[in-house]
Amino acid sequence: MTRPQTVTLLTPLRVVRLRRMLGFELGAAIGIWILVLAVQWTLTQSGESAFTVSAVQFAASLPFFLLSLPLGAIAEHAGHRTLLAGTAIGLVITSAVLTALQVLELATMPVLMAAVFLSGCGLAAVAIVWQSLLPTLATREMM
C-alpha cells in the first residue's frame, strides 16, 4: 500500500515550469516597480506637482483595466509563449529607449508617462498569461 504524499506550502515549487514562470512574473513586477519609482523620483526632482507624480501609478495600473480581456483572448489565440516572448522583448525595448532618452536628457513628462504606461501593458500581459497558465502548471491538490 502506497502512502499518500503530503502537500506542503512549497510543494508547487517542485514543478520546474512553475518556478520559471514565478521567477519571470516576479522579475517583471520588480522591474516595473523600480521603473515607477525612478519616474516618480525624476518627476519630483524636476519640480512636477504632486498630482503629476501620483499619476505615474495610475499610468502603470490603467493597462490592467483596459487590456485584461483583450490580452486573455490574444494569449489563447496567439499562444502563451508567444505573448510572453513578445512582452519580454517589448519591455526590454521600452527600457532601453527610456534609458537612452534619460541619458540624452530628452525624457520629458509625457515621455516618462508613456514609458510607464507601456511597461504597465507588459506587466498586465505577464499577469494575464500567468493567471491562465497556473492551473496547467500545478494540480488542484498542490494548491
Side-chain angles (χ1 to χ4, degrees), residues 4 12 14 18 24 35 37 39 45-46 58 65-67 82 92 98 101 103 114 116 125-126:
R14 292 181 190 153
L18 181 84
F24 185 72
L35 174 70
L37 183 67
V39 168
Q45 291 296 319
S46 67
F58 176 75
F65 297 107
L66 296 177
L67 302 175
T82 304
V92 167
L98 183 61
L101 289 174
V103 167
V116 168
V126 170

Side-chain angles (χ1 to χ4, degrees), residues 97-107:
V97 168
L98 183 61
T99 301
L101 289 174
Q102 189 70 20
V103 167
L104 297 172
E105 296 181 7
L106 298 173

Side-chain angles (χ1 to χ4, degrees), residues 14-57:
R14 292 181 190 153
V15 179
V16 175
R17 287 182 62 200
L18 181 84
R19 281 196 314 260
R20 288 181 186 153
M21 282 294 300
L22 184 61
F24 185 72
E25 169 74 17
L26 232 62
I30 290 171
I32 303 304
W33 174 67
I34 291 170
L35 174 70
V36 167
L37 183 67
V39 168
Q40 287 175 328
W41 182 270
T42 301
L43 291 175
T44 301
Q45 291 296 319
S46 67
E48 294 290 338
S49 69
F51 177 79
T52 304
V53 174
S54 65
V56 172
Q57 189 63 46

Side-chain angles (χ1 to χ4, degrees), residues 4-6 9 12-14 22 30 39 64 70 75 97 102-104 112 115 130 134 140 143:
Q5 264 189 331
T6 58
L9 182 63
L13 294 178
R14 292 181 190 153
L22 184 61
I30 290 171
V39 168
F64 282 91
V97 168
Q102 189 70 20
V103 167
L104 297 172
L112 293 172
W130 167 253
L134 187 59
R140 181 178 291 275
M143 296 189 200

Side-chain angles (χ1 to χ4, degrees), residues 73-135:
I74 291 170
E76 289 298 320
H77 180 69
H80 297 97
R81 288 182 186 181
T82 304
L83 186 61
L84 281 177
T87 299
I89 291 168
L91 287 173
V92 167
I93 290 170
T94 301
S95 298
V97 168
L98 183 61
T99 301
L101 289 174
Q102 189 70 20
V103 167
L104 297 172
E105 296 181 7
L106 298 173
T108 61
M109 194 265 300
V111 170
L112 293 172
M113 289 294 199
V116 168
F117 180 78
L118 291 174
S119 297
C121 291
L123 184 59
V126 170
I128 297 303
V129 171
W130 167 253
Q131 291 171 4
S132 66
L133 284 180
L134 187 59

